[in-house]
């Protein structure tokens, strides 16, 4: 979902993929990417919370930034909402947001539990 959201130009709200545009044409590529983005969101929301969490953890582990840094940023800015397709319904946005907030709290808590305790 993050990859597909990065293909969307924030100024035009259109998906841009030079290779697909060259092979299939702009309109067909746009429709295919928009449909794929929608389907990825639907598939993600259909997962159990544990599977969603595992998916988010894999994303975070692949990030060049530290997990703690990304979680702190997400907690402050809710930047993960930019991963959503523009045609997401309000209910999908609310569910995605609530689930991600829950996962952020869980992952931050797990991170705190793993940090070594300082001796008194």
């Amino acid at each position: 979902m993050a990859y597909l959201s990065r293909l969307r130009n924030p100024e035009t709200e259109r998906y841009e993929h030079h290779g697909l545009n060259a092979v299939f044409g702009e309109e067909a590529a746009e429709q295919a990417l928009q449909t794929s983005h929608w389907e990825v969101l639907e598939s993600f929301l259909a997962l159990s919370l544990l599977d969603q969490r595992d998916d988010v953890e894999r994303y975070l582990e692949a990030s060049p930034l530290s997990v703690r840094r990304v979680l702190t940023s997400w907690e402050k800015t809710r930047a993960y909402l930019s991963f959503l397709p523009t045609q997401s319904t309000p209910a999908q946005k609310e569910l995605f947001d609530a689930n991600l907030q829950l996962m952020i709290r869980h992952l931050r808590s797990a991170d705190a539990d793993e940090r070594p305790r300082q001796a008194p």
Side-chain angles (χ1 to χ4, degrees):
M1 192 169 359
Y3 171 74
L4 289 165
S5 70
R6 286 191 295 272
L7 294 176
R8 189 179 58 232
N9 182 324
E11 294 169 7
T12 64
E13 293 296 326
R14 292 187 57 85
Y15 294 86
E16 298 175 356
H17 189 286
H18 178 72
L20 288 177
N21 288 353
V23 173
F24 299 105
E26 233 177 83
E27 290 304 315
E30 167 76 15
Q31 186 59 47
L33 291 167
Q34 189 176 54
T35 299
S36 293
H37 201 173
W38 174 264
E39 289 173 352
V40 168
L41 172 63
E42 287 285 302
S43 296
F44 180 81
L45 293 176
L47 295 172
S48 70
L49 279 174
L50 289 176
D51 288 338
Q52 286 182 26
R53 184 203 62 200
D54 291 346
D55 197 48
V56 169
E57 284 180 325
R58 280 190 298 277
Y59 172 81
L60 292 169
E61 289 167 2
S63 171
L65 302 174
S66 74
V67 170
R68 185 178 301 155
R69 185 173 180 179
V70 174
L71 292 176
T72 299
S73 173
W74 282 5
E75 205 167 37
K76 289 179 183 176
T77 67
R78 295 172 54 211
Y80 54 82
L81 293 175
S82 69
F83 296 161
L84 293 168
T86 54
Q87 73 271 31
S88 303
T89 67
Q92 289 171 319
K93 289 176 185 175
E94 185 177 334
L95 179 60
F96 184 79
D97 188 26
N99 288 358
L100 266 287
Q101 286 182 40
L102 181 66
M103 285 176 233
I104 290 167
R105 284 193 301 274
H106 171 77
L107 292 169
R108 287 181 71 73
S109 173
D111 180 52
D113 290 345
E114 290 176 12
R115 276 187 248 142
R117 306 241 187 253
Q118 298 206 352

